[in-house]
């Protein structure tokens, strides 16, 4: 049987960083198991290819969530990357770290070494920031290129002028000292091409002889000897494929993402005994927090019809698209280099709110049913708003003992009263932004939620009918002290009560952060690589309060 020092399940954002860092020392062997294919498809690398990979089942798990109390009976689509780079190969390229308060809260929840001052050096070590930014907060020499959207569009400019007219300041760097304000989006794009975690971390590592990456390798369960994880079983070729077992001398690391890491744990007999027994799975280790605590951002997308100017909706039609294709081929710029959102705005829902609890994005385009998968034909602009730190929590639970059955995903959006209030406040702000004076020459009428929707109850009903995920599931294997009822891993990301097993990906976040999750997931993996190797952490940054 083949044996490696580390076996990593999942070559996504976290898995890619780990494969790179753990193999830096040429003496350590690393095997990475990835259920999806190589990331060869051109739509992965072309930024605007996002709209295609969004539904492309060959590189996407394409999950459906369960209907919840505030989804109007809808089962919301939940894409997830299934290829090298994982979700970072199909995401919207936005680079957003979150606020100082997010990580300080993680530390306050009993996780030593995860406060902002501790994690900032890892954010800096990882990135190569091109453009504006204070070097106290930004890194310039890391493998992950972060650029600022360079497309300049009169609608985006007018939106930002509108935000400023409402008292929201222009912020040159929302990943710097302060998040609040409005600016063009920062992106993981380099020379007009996606900078996925695979590109930044995994592909360079694959060139090393001590790294073995296996695609079409669907992990079905962890192999244990007593309470120690000693290997992983997978099916080579996926469903119906050949069963293979690989052994881990040192550790098994689950980096399957917020839906699949808890699924693999549950399939391996680690989780709530009631759940496991109901599917005939022998309980290896009772750990009720596995899969519980799921959080995500829930976003209504406000849309206005546009006049007197062309939006992206028309630019991608007919001969315009050929011009744009030529532009991209020759300059790596233009429409095909765009991300689904172009302007970012962070603000607060009330005067007493201490730090921005609303994230708002703008794009001079509109989508069928509000979701990024397909552009509309009529000219439109979209202002998406969401609550940054929701309180509602849901779960991920296996549907059966079949490793190929999609897990049950129940996010329970808006079940907390605060979440309903903040989401309604976000819709009101989105409406004010779209109706601002600088946008008036282009604003034709409100398409969603529509002028008849005015009261808080009506706005909430509209959100219930149309809001969707912003694709940020986390918190399903939460990091916390052993004596808590909810924690799955400790602050070294070791699974409580077991040996030789860690979870390292977005699922370990104890609480949702005020950001899209790619940057912080990469940071978690980078920090974890030092924890695993027993390396000293970079010195915590001393920040003036
Ligand atoms: C459509 C979309 C848009 C997004 N937009 C943004 C954005 O603009 N900015 C941002 O910051 N974040 C964005 N995100 C979120 C962000 O990309 C993710 O939070 C982040 O990539 C999660 O990293 P991860 O390592 O936890 O999981 P993933 O990157 O999803 O990696 C998990 C990997 O494990 C593999 N895997 C799972 N189960 C198994 C198994 N049983 N056996 C073998 N392999 C397995 C998967 O195929 C996958 O490759 C978006 C996500 C999506 C889906």
């Amino acid at each position: 049987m083949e044996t490696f020092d580390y076996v990593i399940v999942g070559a996504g954002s976290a898995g890619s960083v780990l494969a790179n860092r753990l193999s830096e020392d040429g003496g350590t062997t690393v095997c990475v198991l990835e259920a999806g294919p190589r990331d060869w498809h051109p739509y992965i690398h072309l930024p605007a290819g996002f709209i295609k990979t969004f539904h492309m089942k060959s590189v996407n798990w394409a999950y459906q969530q369960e209907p919840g109390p505030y989804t109007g009976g809808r089962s919301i689509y939940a894409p997830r990357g299934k290829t090298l780079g994982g979700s970072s190969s199909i995401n919207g390229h936005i680079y957003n770290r979150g606020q100082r308060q997010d990580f300080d809260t993680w530390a306050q929840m009993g996780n030593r070494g995860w406060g902002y001052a501790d994690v900032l050096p890892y954010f800096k070590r990882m990135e190569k920031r091109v453009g504006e930014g204070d070097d106290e907060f930004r890194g310039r020499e890391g493998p992950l290129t972060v650029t600022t959207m360079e497309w300049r569009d009169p609608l985006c400019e007018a939106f930002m002028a509108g935000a400023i007219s409402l008292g929201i300041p222009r912020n040159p760097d929302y990943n710097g000292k302060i998040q609040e304000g409005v600016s063009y989006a920062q992106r993981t794009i380099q020379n007009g091409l996606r900078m996925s975690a695979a590109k930044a971390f995994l592909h360079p590592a694959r060139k090393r002889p001590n790294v073995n990456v296996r695609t079409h390798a669907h992990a079905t369960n962890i192999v244990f000897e007593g309470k120690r994880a000693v290997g992983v079983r997978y099916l080579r070729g996926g469903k119906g494929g050949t069963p293979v077992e690989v052994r881990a001398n040192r550790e098994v690391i689950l980096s399957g993402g917020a839906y699949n890491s808890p699924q693999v744990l549950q399939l391996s007999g680690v989780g709530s005994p009631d759940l496991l027994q109901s599917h005939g799975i022998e309980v290896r280790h009772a750990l009720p927090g596995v899969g519980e605590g799921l959080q995500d951002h829930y976003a209504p997308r406000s849309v206005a019809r546009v006049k007197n100017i062309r939006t992206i909706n028309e630019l991608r039609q007919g001969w315009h698209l050929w011009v744009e294709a030529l532009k991209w081929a020759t300059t790596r710029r233009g429409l095909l280099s765009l991300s689904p959102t172009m302007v970012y705005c962070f603000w607060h829902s009330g005067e007493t709110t201490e730090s921005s609890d609303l994230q708002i994005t703008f794009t001079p385009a509109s989508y069928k049913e509000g979701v990024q998968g397909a552009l509309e034909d009529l000219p439109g602009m979209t202002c998406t708003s969401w609550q940054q730190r929701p309180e509602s929590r849901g779960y991920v639970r296996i549907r059966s003992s079949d490793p190929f059955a999609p897990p049950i995903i129940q996010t329970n959006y808006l079940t907390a009263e605060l979440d309903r209030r903040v989401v309604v406040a976000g819709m009101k702000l989105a409406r004010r932004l779209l109706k601002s004076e600088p946008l008036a020459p282009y604003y034709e009428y409100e398409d969603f939620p529509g002028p008849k929707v005015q009261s808080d109850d009506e706005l909430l009903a509209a959100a219930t009918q149309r809001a969707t995920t912003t694709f940020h599931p986390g918190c399903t294997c939460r990091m916390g002290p052993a004596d808590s009822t909810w924690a799955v891993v400790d602050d070294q990301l070791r699974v409580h009560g077991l040996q030789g097993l860690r979870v390292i990906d977005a699922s370990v976040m104890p609480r949702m952060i005020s950001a899209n999750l790619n940057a912080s997931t990469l940071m978690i993996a980078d920090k974890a690589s030092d924890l695993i190797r027993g390396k000293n952490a970079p010195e915590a940054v001393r920040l003036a309060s």
Side-chain angles (χ1 to χ4, degrees):
M1 198 169 311
E2 284 178 289
T3 303
F4 300 85
D5 291 319
Y6 299 101
V7 176
I8 302 170
V9 174
S13 296
S16 295
V17 174
L18 289 163
N20 187 310
R21 297 295 194 209
L22 295 179
S23 64
E24 273 171 353
D25 162 11
T28 307
T29 55
V30 177
C31 175
V32 187
L33 304 175
E34 169 53 48
R38 282 179 41 231
D39 55 342
W40 63 269
H41 201 291
Y43 283 148
I44 291 174
H45 306 285
L46 182 71
F50 169 92
I51 237 160
K52 299 284 185 191
T53 55
F54 191 77
H55 286 293
M56 216 159 89
K57 291 214 170 137
S58 55
V59 296
N60 192 329
W61 293 86
Y63 287 133
Q64 290 293 145
Q65 302 187 22
E66 302 300 306
Y70 288 89
T71 68
R74 291 170 306 142
S75 154
I76 290 172
Y77 178 56
R80 292 277 93 196
K82 186 182 183 183
T83 180
L84 298 184
S87 296
S88 79
S89 287
I90 67 160
N91 73 10
H93 330 106
I94 300 302
Y95 185 81
N96 180 14
R97 293 173 176 176
Q99 295 170 24
R100 179 175 179 167
Q101 171 197 331
D102 296 321
F103 306 100
D104 288 343
T105 305
W106 290 6
Q108 282 158 14
M109 291 170 83
N111 298 301
R112 296 156 304 172
W114 291 91
Y116 184 62
D118 306 299
V119 302
L120 180 55
Y122 289 100
F123 279 121
K124 290 177 69 173
R125 168 166 113 174
M126 225 169 48
E127 76 172 352
K128 180 181 180 180
R129 169 71 179 141
V130 179
E132 270 180 298
D134 175 349
D135 287 355
E136 190 178 0
F137 295 91
R138 306 308 303 261
R140 301 280 175 186
E141 288 166 11
L144 185 83
T145 303
V146 179
T147 53
T148 301
M149 170 80 71
E150 64 278 312
W151 167 285
R152 292 293 172 262
D153 183 286
L155 279 168
C156 292
E157 291 291 333
F159 176 85
M160 285 195 277
I164 292 165
S165 74
L166 298 181
I168 301 172
R170 185 97 185 226
N171 182 355
D173 182 12
Y174 58 78
N175 287 309
K177 189 171 182 185
I178 291 171
Q179 191 189 50
E180 278 204 339
V182 64
S183 58
Y184 281 104
Q186 295 181 25
R187 310 189 297 160
T188 42
I189 297 281
Q190 183 180 24
N191 298 330
L193 291 168
R194 178 190 291 277
M195 174 58 69
S196 68
K199 192 159 177 191
F201 297 97
L202 188 67
H203 292 312
R206 283 180 83 192
K207 297 189 182 128
R208 299 174 188 151
N210 53 333
V211 177
N212 187 310
V213 179
R214 300 178 181 187
T215 49
H216 299 288
H218 189 120
T220 54
N221 61 294
I222 303 158
V223 182
F224 286 98
E225 281 174 7
K227 293 276 181 187
R228 183 170 191 87
V230 294
V232 177
R233 274 193 208 103
Y234 69 94
L235 288 177
R236 187 165 59 215
K239 196 169 185 171
T242 317
V244 182
E245 188 174 315
V246 276
R247 289 271 166 159
N249 262 337
R250 296 190 193 168
E251 294 194 22
V252 170
I253 300 169
L254 285 185
S255 298
Y259 297 147
N260 295 88
S261 283
Q263 182 193 31
V264 173
L265 281 173
Q266 290 164 358
L267 289 168
S268 309
V270 181
S272 146
D274 287 348
L275 174 73
L276 304 183
Q277 280 155 3
S278 70
H279 294 297
I281 295 174
E282 188 191 332
V283 180
R284 162 81 47 185
H285 180 62
L287 202 53
V290 173
E292 302 298 308
L294 172 64
Q295 293 197 297
D296 193 3
H297 291 131
Y298 192 51
R301 293 171 166 88
S302 301
V303 178
R305 299 265 75 97
V306 170
K307 62 183 182 188
N308 300 331
I309 196 166
R310 262 201 305 259
T311 67
I312 291 175
N313 294 8
E314 302 92 271
L315 282 180
R316 57 90 212 200
Q317 289 171 19
W319 61 270
H320 292 295
L321 187 58
W322 290 105
V323 172
E324 291 299 331
L326 190 65
K327 201 188 285 176
W328 186 82
T330 50
T331 65
R332 291 281 187 265
R333 286 171 180 256
L335 193 70
L336 301 189
S337 73
L338 295 185
S339 302
T341 45
M342 292 165 63
V343 177
Y344 261 70
C345 176
F346 302 91
W347 201 237
H348 42 268
S349 61
E351 290 313 313
T352 53
T353 317
E354 271 183 9
S355 69
S356 51
D357 57 352
L358 285 174
Q359 193 168 336
I360 291 161
T361 68
F362 176 78
T363 196
S366 60
Y367 302 90
K368 289 182 181 149
E369 286 297 311
V371 187
Q372 275 105 327
L375 285 157
E376 288 183 320
D377 295 332
L378 290 173
M381 53 186 172
T382 304
C383 187
T384 305
S385 52
W386 67 87
Q387 179 198 19
Q388 301 231 70
R389 293 178 294 273
E391 291 187 342
S392 307
R393 287 188 184 271
Y395 53 82
V396 173
R397 294 176 189 158
I398 45 170
R399 196 174 297 275
S400 79
S401 58
D402 174 3
F404 291 91
I408 295 171
I409 300 165
Q410 174 53 268
T411 313
N412 279 331
Y413 296 117
L414 302 189
T415 47
E417 200 263 336
L418 175 74
D419 299 4
R420 298 196 285 279
R421 257 193 292 134
V422 179
V423 162
V424 166
M427 292 174 85
K428 288 182 186 167
L429 180 56
R431 176 175 273 166
R432 287 176 66 212
L433 285 163
L434 287 174
K435 280 191 169 168
S436 73
E437 194 57 38
L439 271 174
Y442 312 113
Y443 179 94
E444 193 164 15
Y445 63 89
E446 184 177 296
D447 186 69
F448 180 82
K452 287 193 186 138
V453 176
Q454 289 299 334
S455 71
D456 286 7
D457 285 350
E458 287 165 347
L459 285 164
L460 180 61
T464 300
Q465 292 308 321
R466 267 279 282 272
T468 62
T469 171
T470 56
F471 326 111
H472 302 154
C475 315
T476 50
C477 297
R478 283 174 280 171
M479 161 170 62
D483 57 4
S484 66
T485 51
W486 46 267
V488 173
V489 296
D490 66 10
D491 53 21
Q492 310 275 302
L493 309 187
R494 297 172 297 209
V495 176
H496 284 300
L498 293 171
Q499 288 97 48
L501 182 62
R502 294 189 210 231
V503 182
I504 302 173
D505 57 27
S507 50
V508 303
M509 296 183 187
R511 199 178 151 184
M512 180 52 90
I513 57 170
S514 41
N516 320 50
L517 300 193
N518 191 38
S520 48
T521 305
L522 297 168
M523 174 280 289
I524 288 170
D526 202 6
K527 180 169 166 63
S529 74
D530 276 357
L531 295 174
I532 293 170
R533 292 177 293 178
K535 281 196 161 203
N536 288 335
E539 203 176 326
V541 175
R542 295 197 189 290
L543 294 162
S545 55

